[in-house]
Amino acid sequence: MRPHVLTPLFASVTSIKGVGDKVEKLFARLVPGKAGHVRLVDLLFHLPSGIIDRRDRRRISELPPSGIVTIEAVVGKHKPPPRNQPRLPYRVEVHDDTGRLSLVYFKAFPDHIQRLLPEGETRYISGAVEWFRDEAQMSHPDHVLSAEEFARMPALEPVYPMTAGLSSKVLAKAMLAVRERTPPLPEWQDSAWLRQQHWPSFNAAIAEAHAPQSPEAAQPATAARQRLAFDELLANQLALMLVRQRMKRASGRMLRGTGDLRRKIIDALPYKLTGSQAHAGEEILRDMAQPQRMIRLLQGDVGAGKTVVALLALATAVEAGAQGALMVPTEILARQHLATLTKLGAAAGLRVALLTGREKGRARDEILDALAAGTIDILIGTHALFQDDVGFQNLGLVVIDEQHRFGVHQRLAMQAKAGQTPDLLVMTATPIPRTLALTVYGDMDVSRLTEKPARRLPVDTRAMPLSRIDDVVEGLRRSMEQGVRAYWVCPLVEESEKVDLAAAEDRFAALEKAFPRRVGLIHGRMKGAEKDAVMAAFKAGTLSILVSTTVIEVGVDVPEAAIMVIENAERFGLSQLHQLRGRVGRGSAKSSCVILYQEPLGETAKARLQIMRETEDGFRIAEEDLRLRGAGEMLGTQQSGMPVFRLANLSIHGELLAAARDDASLILERDPALASPRGEALRHLLYLFERDEAIHLLAAG
Ligand code: ADP
Ligand code: MG
């Protein structure tokens, strides 16, 4: 149970006066929230990025080219829009002895403005200056105040990262309420360490971070911000170590194969294993033969050939008389793996079956019976594998593909299955920069596939503005005449699936017109069987172009697809672009990736597309992504599956991570059940940062 004292922080923001569903939606664009709901704690962790200093008063003749300023001025003439042109703005002239400025209001209520700005009176006005043909103006000033009101206003105001449609006044008010309702929390950090770092308490740090007294104080390097970052990193490390402590405690089993099945499979492969596939295979084999439980990560860029490594590990489990499970995040991928493993495993007589949400009734019962009887060697499936009634006769090895798509929770559920403690191999294509690996895996053992299968050709990557889309379609026509197949991925326009879908449907309709009956559409809302049919037609070549939302991102393998078009690529993260591009360049034909972008491009977007053109090295791309976007943003994306850090920014607070790790391991060494007074306080920390899954592990002992 969450400590009572934290309850107010987990209330919905709609419990704040003046915040309704509409404002909550706007907040949801700023902060992660939970299941679409924003809680007070989410705003609490939304920290200012700067300040407005209203003491910085300017004469009109000295106004800067841009930025927030405060002036003291006399109100002059009002110029409402002419009656027949109500769309024009309402303007009010103001002046001091050095010059003039106009205040601009769109869709104004004249009464309101006349009350706010009586002609001839002095007002303190603050807002963003703009220049229009050498004339200074300010549209919708933040504040228009009389002398008395101005005296009562805070001289310094924090500036928060904002989203369109949200007013800073509404956010400021909500923030005030959040801070008032933040309870005093017990100290969970070591007091000697706090003293040494000169860090304030959590409550003091929060207060300082939300009310910076200088521009520097709003930056992430202050003592207060470091303390908060450290809190978050410690919660992360502690949770990881608890999970790991629990996993290791379960002792493993020895899975020693005869090598028979492996040999048969390898002999029948249509290619030769790469050096790193062979090497990773040996590392896995060695772990499996140990009495301790294997917990190993197999990391390899898209197309590196992880599947066959998994198959060989599974074959070893089967040689040792056990069964294996292969878990994947999507139905499409499950079916693809079934096809691959059945084909490659045929030489060894492996019995492979599939279990997804779609196997129901009789068919499902039959699979479950065979599984319990041991007549299925390898079961491939999606989340359906977690269900309670899925029981293996003798589960020896679990492989989780594209593991970043699964939560810690699901991984644990799989392991808890029937009290068995199978060896665990997790595979990921997400290239994780070194700094981040620690936050996600703690000290898991890692095998890396560093080589790509030899015959892979580099992908020719080109970036073009959307305005040249007709040229791209013409290019497609020529390639299609030579039998080439293409993916066309539509943009992630909004968080909403509906909008994405509309974009994909429009593109599908347009391409279908250009290439009748050759284009397919696939998206997340389709039924499983419909998706399969489209995928199958694309694989078989009856369809030449596959238009999709990002559902094809993960793991799909169609070697004949040699063109990847990514529309509005500027909206995708670098790592995501890299994953998408990894879908082509798998066959023997020369492949290309066309990155279509919307003009004008910002600097960061330009830099990103440039990197895509320069390199296909997933690690370098991940490092650059981190550099360009900052860890927070990269980690925040759903796709990355990485922890979302809200207070820590690894490019700034990176050195604190190692300290947090050492601290966490010391804590668990001394107080493995978190039962001491500090342990009690640390439970607050884990709940505050929503690492409660880890606490349940504690409770379970
Ligand atoms: P990923 O690591 O992205 O899961 P896959 O396992 O899907 O990659 O493999 C990508 C492609 O490379 C598949 O078509 C597979 O048949 C092929 N492949 C795997 N290993 C080799 C190899 N050693 N030589 C040639 N092709 C290989
Ligand atoms: Mg794969």
Side-chain angles (χ1 to χ4, degrees):
M1 277 276 284
R2 182 192 295 139
H4 203 61
V5 60
L6 292 175
T7 307
L9 285 178
F10 287 86
S12 162
V13 285
T14 53
S15 66
I16 298 172
K17 213 173 145 237
V19 178
D21 293 350
K22 237 163 125 190
V23 174
E24 185 185 19
K25 284 225 173 68
L26 293 171
F27 286 166
R29 289 203 214 141
L30 285 178
V31 298
K34 185 139 195 173
H37 288 287
V38 180
R39 292 88 32 96
L40 268 63
V41 67
D42 298 312
L43 288 188
L44 188 68
F45 293 161
H46 187 61
L47 299 182
S49 54
I51 59 165
I52 299 174
D53 187 348
R54 298 192 198 281
R55 293 167 305 193
D56 179 17
R57 228 169 312 142
R58 301 290 181 105
R59 333 254 359 197
I60 291 176
S61 62
E62 297 164 349
L63 288 179
S66 67
I68 308 268
V69 294
T70 302
I71 56 168
E72 178 187 346
V74 178
V75 179
K77 279 229 157 358
H78 282 233
K79 298 179 183 163
R83 266 187 203 293
N84 55 354
Q85 284 173 294
R87 278 160 184 275
L88 289 181
Y90 190 119
R91 291 175 174 272
V92 181
E93 296 273 326
V94 302
H95 62 268
D96 64 11
D97 0 321
T98 68
R100 280 194 322 184
L101 174 117
S102 28
L103 307 180
V104 183
Y105 292 90
F106 292 91
K107 294 193 193 156
F109 294 105
D111 290 354
H112 171 68
I113 294 177
Q114 278 148 21
R115 246 179 288 126
L116 198 64
L117 291 154
E119 208 171 321
E121 302 263 321
T122 297
R123 285 290 178 268
Y124 291 81
I125 301 160
S126 84
V129 216
E130 301 151 14
W131 291 84
F132 189 67
R133 295 204 194 106
D134 287 341
E135 293 200 18
Q137 60 176 43
M138 205 184 267
S139 37
H140 299 264
D142 299 332
H143 297 282
V144 175
L145 303 169
S146 67
E148 296 136 47
E149 288 168 326
F150 186 66
R152 273 189 273 125
M153 203 180 78
L156 290 178
E157 218 181 281
V159 179
Y160 290 93
M162 290 297 274
T163 186
L166 182 62
S167 96
S168 52
K169 276 185 210 160
V170 169
L171 182 62
K173 256 189 161 161
M175 283 296 185
L176 198 64
V178 169
R179 287 179 43 212
E180 277 168 6
R181 282 156 67 174
T182 302
L185 296 177
E187 184 54 75
W188 45 70
Q189 298 295 357
D190 178 57
S191 53
W193 165 247
L194 283 185
R195 245 180 325 212
Q196 187 198 329
Q197 298 292 318
H198 304 287
W199 285 349
S201 70
F202 175 80
N203 288 88
I206 280 284
E208 272 179 49
H210 279 283
Q213 297 298 307
S214 67
E216 298 73 48
Q219 297 310 308
T222 62
R225 297 278 283 251
Q226 294 217 28
R227 143 119 216 183
L228 296 175
F230 190 76
D231 284 339
E232 185 168 39
L233 294 171
L234 182 62
N236 163 265
Q237 289 299 302
L238 209 48
L240 277 171
M241 278 185 203
L242 284 168
V243 172
R244 188 164 166 85
Q245 175 178 297
R246 164 70 173 267
M247 292 202 296
K248 277 269 157 153
R249 215 181 311 148
S251 60
R253 50 188 296 181
M254 292 202 303
L255 288 175
R256 210 188 286 276
T258 56
D260 258 12
L261 302 180
R262 273 176 89 87
R263 196 157 324 110
K264 284 185 184 149
I265 294 171
I266 293 174
D267 287 346
L269 284 178
Y271 45 75
K272 202 170 158 302
L273 291 180
T274 63
S276 50
Q277 280 172 326
H279 183 69
E282 277 157 28
E283 288 177 325
I284 293 166
L285 224 58
R286 211 179 313 134
D287 277 6
M288 288 175 70
Q290 299 291 321
Q292 293 87 14
R293 169 157 209 229
M294 169 169 82
I295 303 172
R296 184 170 279 279
L297 173 73
L298 176 61
Q299 189 177 46
D301 208 350
V302 261
K306 295 183 289 296
T307 316
V308 68
V309 177
L311 173 63
L312 292 173
L314 289 163
T316 298
V318 177
E319 287 170 11
Q323 291 166 299
L326 171 59
M327 231 169 55
V328 298
T330 67
E331 179 104 35
I332 292 184
L333 206 51
R335 276 167 211 278
Q336 179 183 298
H337 278 335
L338 176 72
T340 311
L341 266 53
T342 306
K343 196 169 86 196
L344 298 181
L350 288 179
R351 295 164 297 182
V352 187
L354 180 74
L355 184 70
T356 70
R358 242 197 292 161
E359 279 68 41
K360 295 207 174 84
R362 197 56 172 281
R364 185 167 187 276
D365 291 344
E366 273 169 23
I367 294 168
L368 295 186
D369 289 345
L371 199 61
T375 55
I376 290 175
D377 294 321
I378 297 171
L379 185 65
I380 300 172
T382 54
H383 298 73
L385 295 188
F386 301 128
Q387 283 152 9
D388 285 339
D389 61 343
V390 178
F392 290 78
Q393 187 203 39
N394 180 10
L395 180 60
L397 172 67
V398 174
V399 181
I400 305 183
D401 194 12
E402 310 290 353
Q403 71 86 35
H404 60 279
R405 289 289 176 115
F406 294 99
V408 177
H409 215 71
Q410 292 166 317
R411 279 183 259 159
L412 291 171
M414 191 64 201
Q415 284 154 37
K417 253 193 177 316
Q420 291 170 321
T421 51
D423 280 344
L424 181 66
L425 177 67
V426 296
M427 311 200 290
T428 182
T430 309
I432 302 157
R434 250 159 279 114
T435 21
L436 295 189
L438 204 56
T439 69
V440 191
Y441 301 112
D443 48 354
M444 198 174 224
D445 304 307
V446 181
S447 296
R448 290 214 166 95
L449 297 184
T450 47
E451 298 164 68
K452 294 218 172 164
R455 65 185 168 74
R456 297 201 50 158
L457 296 166
V459 178
D460 175 23
T461 303
R462 262 172 280 172
M464 286 191 213
L466 257 177
S467 53
R468 286 185 51 197
I469 196 164
D470 291 344
D471 298 350
V472 176
V473 172
E474 270 324 293
L476 271 183
R477 187 182 301 283
R478 283 190 300 274
S479 303
M480 275 169 62
E481 280 160 10
Q482 291 157 21
V484 172
R485 270 166 255 169
Y487 295 105
W488 188 301
V489 179
C490 288
L492 206 66
V493 184
E494 304 226 352
E495 296 300 293
S496 130
E497 216 184 332
K498 241 193 208 151
V499 183
D500 288 354
L501 189 53
E505 276 169 344
D506 288 352
R507 182 58 63 215
F508 168 72
L511 288 170
E512 169 74 21
K513 212 175 246 163
F515 309 108
R517 289 184 308 283
R518 306 306 307 278
V519 189
L521 172 66
I522 195 163
H523 57 75
R525 291 216 169 171
M526 278 160 77
K527 290 229 170 59
E530 294 169 335
K531 278 192 222 170
D532 286 354
V534 177
M535 251 350 260
F538 184 62
K539 272 194 175 176
T542 25
L543 292 177
S544 303
I545 302 179
L546 185 64
V547 177
S548 81
T549 53
T550 49
V551 289
I552 59 149
E553 180 197 348
V554 176
V556 173
D557 188 31
V558 179
E560 296 82 4
I563 299 177
M564 166 65 68
V565 181
I566 307 171
E567 201 173 317
N568 282 88
E570 75 283 356
R571 296 180 189 266
F572 291 96
L574 257 186
S575 294
Q576 217 182 348
L577 288 174
H578 177 65
Q579 296 265 328
L580 286 170
R581 181 170 59 184
R583 301 297 125 224
V584 297
R586 297 181 161 226
S588 45
K590 179 102 186 89
S591 298
S592 55
C593 175
V594 181
I595 290 177
L596 286 173
Y597 59 86
Q598 184 80 56
E599 290 174 297
L601 273 185
E603 285 307 312
T604 309
K606 248 186 228 162
R608 272 202 232 155
L609 299 188
Q610 181 58 29
I611 290 158
M612 284 300 292
R613 289 212 301 267
E614 271 169 25
T615 182
E616 279 187 67
D617 174 346
F619 280 92
R620 179 160 168 231
I621 288 178
E623 299 273 359
E624 294 286 340
D625 205 14
L626 188 63
R627 193 176 60 77
L628 286 174
R629 303 213 282 166
E633 212 184 317
M634 173 171 170
L635 295 170
T637 61
Q638 287 286 301
Q639 276 70 21
S640 72
M642 310 260 185
V644 180
F645 288 120
R646 295 185 273 184
L647 302 174
N649 176 342
L650 289 185
S651 54
I652 293 158
H653 304 121
E655 352 65 86
L656 294 178
L657 187 58
R661 180 160 96 133
D662 293 347
D663 199 14
S665 89
L666 206 62
I667 290 166
L668 290 182
E669 220 168 85
R670 290 189 189 149
D671 182 15
L674 295 186
S676 68
R678 184 177 179 205
E680 270 301 316
L682 283 162
R683 287 170 184 248
H684 287 73
L685 174 71
L686 288 169
Y687 273 106
L688 183 64
F689 286 97
E690 297 176 81
R691 308 282 197 244
D692 352 348
E693 284 146 341
I695 298 197
H696 299 318
L697 293 181
L698 263 182

